[in-house]
Amino acid sequence: MKNNKLHNIKSTGFKTPDNYFESLEDAIYSKLAEDTLSSKINSNGFEVPEDYFETFDDKVLSAVNENDSTKVIPPFSWKKISYISGIAASLVLIFNILFTDTDELTFDDLETASIENYLLNEDLNAYEIAPYLGASELDSNDFVDTNIKSSDIEDYLIQNSDVEQLITD
């Protein structure tokens, strides 16, 4: 046949004998009714060895006791985990080094509040700060024109001095 005529084929090409399906059931029942097949078979084909069930427990226990010395290999060993974690740590370090912007901090980047907190917490005195201040930062008018309240002076004297010493002097 040619390929261009395949769509015109109406039959499958398989044929059954005449009256096959009508006579199939009768043929099966007649084969089952015959006793010739079952009469030829003397046993079912399965046999149990002698004393099998009496010796079965001993055979199983001996097989289990022989296999107690097998070596157990864990799926994850510490050696493998240490190699993998070392590789992962080195990859993270490489990515951090290569892909990090290295912007240098300057003095202008610092906030004034953080500098003030540092100076207050370090207990620096005027002699330690003076070398870092130039003549332009120290103006005598800053000290003369400053108005300090008398209540602030009293609080300072009460907290930082000995009252008996002030009275006796």
Side-chain angles (χ1 to χ4, degrees):
M1 279 191 230
K2 293 185 179 178
N3 288 336
N4 58 1
K5 296 183 180 178
L6 287 177
H7 65 282
N8 293 331
I9 296 175
K10 304 271 187 219
S11 65
T12 60
F14 298 106
K15 294 182 180 182
T16 57
D18 293 336
N19 298 326
Y20 176 76
F21 293 106
E22 290 81 14
S23 63
L24 178 67
E25 188 174 341
D26 296 333
I28 291 174
Y29 283 130
S30 67
K31 290 286 184 185
L32 290 176
E34 293 179 6
D35 292 333
T36 58
L37 183 61
S38 62
S39 64
K40 292 180 183 178
I41 299 173
N42 295 331
S43 67
N44 61 4
F46 298 104
E47 293 182 15
V48 177
E50 291 183 24
D51 298 330
Y52 176 75
F53 292 108
E54 286 80 16
T55 61
F56 180 72
D57 293 336
D58 297 332
K59 288 180 182 178
V60 169
L61 289 176
S62 65
V64 170
N65 289 336
E66 290 175 2
N67 294 333
D68 286 342
S69 65
T70 59
K71 184 178 178 182
V72 176
I73 300 172
F76 299 109
S77 67
W78 286 107
K79 193 173 187 180
K80 289 178 184 176
I81 291 173
S82 64
Y83 287 142
I84 292 171
S85 62
I87 291 170
S90 63
L91 288 175
V92 168
L93 182 64
I94 288 171
F95 283 124
N96 281 340
I97 290 172
L98 294 178
F99 298 114
T100 324
D101 294 336
T102 55
D103 294 335
E104 293 185 20
L105 294 176
T106 61
F107 190 73
D108 296 333
D109 295 335
L110 292 175
E111 294 180 3
T112 307
S114 61
I115 295 171
E116 288 176 357
N117 286 334
Y118 173 76
L119 292 176
L120 289 174
N121 293 330
E122 288 299 316
D123 294 330
L124 299 174
N125 59 22
Y127 293 109
E128 292 173 345
I129 297 174
Y132 298 109
L133 298 176
S136 62
E137 285 92 13
L138 296 175
D139 189 14
S140 60
N141 293 333
D142 292 337
F143 299 108
V144 174
D145 294 338
T146 304
N147 295 329
I148 302 174
K149 297 178 184 176
S150 60
S151 62
D152 292 338
I153 295 174
E154 289 175 3
D155 290 338
Y156 176 77
L157 291 176
I158 290 172
Q159 291 175 0
N160 296 324
S161 65
D162 188 16
V163 176
E164 293 176 2
Q165 184 181 5
L166 291 174
I167 293 174
T168 58
D169 285 343

